[in-house]
Amino acid sequence: YKEARDANRLKDEFLAIVSHELRTPLNAMRGWLSLLKSARHTEEQQAHAREVIERNIVAQTQLVEDLLDISRIVSGRMRLQVHTVDLQEVVGAAIESIALAAEAKGIRLDAKLDNPLIQVTGDPDRIQQIVWNLLSNAIKFTPRGGTVTVSVERVESHAELTVSDTGQGISQEFLPHVFERFRQGDSTTTRPIGGLGLGLAIVRYLAELHGGTVVASSAGEGMGATFTLSLPALVPIGAA
């Protein structure tokens, strides 16, 4: 009974957050569109307005995509398009796609992708989604001037991706729940960092769908966090 009651409470909190998060970019877009229509503005002001609107469209699109992915996961409709994947190439593409967000926040991205060819079997788009979510999460919770470090290496029969940050860290109480759906360290709608809190739940599911694992570690609040993705690696041609 207690577990059912707690699950219902978490879902109620999640629905409140969803409503808030979906409404926030809509309000921003509506406000800037109204300003554009109400008076004359300089070209610079118009460009800024378009930039804000575009940024909020991207944010809302990501929210909807996360909700759709969770729906596919819950209903068992998530499917993979399996290919041989160069993990370092996929990680590099994910870094390129998020580099501007890191630069805008003054965060240094330190990529260590100089290992020999490391290949895995999987869906390249979904693997890139895993990497993007981990990087996005690290940037979101790292303050200006911090560092996010990304590395890929082969560890015995597995390929390991590690994303470490110098951000706010994870409390020891919340650490066991970090990959759970409907769970966030701060579940209030007034929390300083937004988002639905679904990204890491999606990461764990996609990792397991690829026959891999993902784990999180942190020394505590204010001490940064490290996420390690492990996927079965293909044996290089000619290897013993």
Side-chain angles (χ1 to χ4, degrees):
Y1 171 76
K2 183 180 183 301
E3 289 178 357
R5 185 179 61 184
D6 289 344
N8 282 331
R9 177 180 57 79
L10 290 171
K11 288 179 181 179
D12 287 343
E13 291 176 356
F14 176 73
L15 288 173
I17 290 171
V18 168
S19 300
H20 174 76
E21 291 294 330
L22 290 176
R23 191 164 52 241
T24 298
L26 279 176
N27 287 340
M29 288 185 281
R30 180 187 299 165
W32 281 99
L33 284 171
S34 296
L35 285 173
L36 285 175
K37 291 190 299 183
S38 64
R40 287 187 173 184
H41 298 277
T42 65
E43 183 59 35
E44 183 179 351
Q45 290 172 326
Q46 291 179 21
H48 177 67
R50 291 193 295 268
E51 180 184 334
V52 172
I53 292 169
E54 182 177 4
R55 186 167 63 245
N56 280 279
I57 289 173
V58 171
Q60 184 147 42
T61 300
Q62 186 60 53
L63 292 174
V64 173
E65 287 296 329
D66 283 350
L67 288 170
L68 289 174
D69 277 343
I70 284 294
S71 175
R72 295 185 189 105
I73 289 169
V74 171
S75 63
R77 291 186 290 109
M78 181 73 75
R79 297 290 182 266
L80 300 180
Q81 301 295 323
V82 177
H83 303 278
T84 297
V85 179
D86 181 338
L87 185 57
Q88 293 187 116
E89 185 178 310
V90 169
V91 172
I95 289 173
E96 284 183 10
S97 71
I98 208 164
L100 285 177
E103 183 181 347
K105 199 174 176 183
I107 292 173
R108 186 168 72 91
L109 277 176
D110 183 11
K112 301 176 180 178
L113 307 177
D114 52 0
N115 284 295
L117 183 65
I118 299 176
Q119 293 182 319
V120 298
T121 299
D123 187 322
D125 291 335
R126 291 302 182 181
I127 292 176
Q128 184 165 333
Q129 183 180 3
I130 293 173
V131 180
W132 190 91
N133 278 355
L134 291 175
L135 287 172
S136 178
N137 189 73
I139 290 170
K140 181 187 295 186
F141 290 99
T142 299
R144 179 172 294 276
T147 300
V148 173
T149 303
V150 189
S151 65
V152 176
E153 61 182 333
R154 187 184 180 95
V155 180
E156 298 179 348
S157 62
H158 284 74
E160 282 196 359
L161 162 73
T162 302
V163 178
S164 299
D165 64 66
T166 58
Q168 69 180 46
I170 307 169
S171 70
Q172 297 305 300
E173 293 76 16
F174 185 68
L175 194 58
H177 308 289
V178 73
F179 293 106
E180 294 179 10
R181 286 182 290 129
F182 310 128
R183 295 295 293 264
Q184 295 193 67
D186 183 352
S187 59
T188 65
T189 56
T190 57
R191 64 200 189 288
I193 299 176
L196 298 178
L198 294 178
L200 292 179
I202 293 170
V203 163
R204 181 177 67 173
Y205 179 82
L206 290 177
E208 293 174 350
L209 202 59
H210 282 82
T213 60
V214 61
V215 295
S217 61
S218 175
E221 295 185 55
M223 302 296 288
T226 297
F227 290 83
T228 303
L229 170 72
S230 179
L231 296 173
L234 293 176
V235 178
I237 296 176

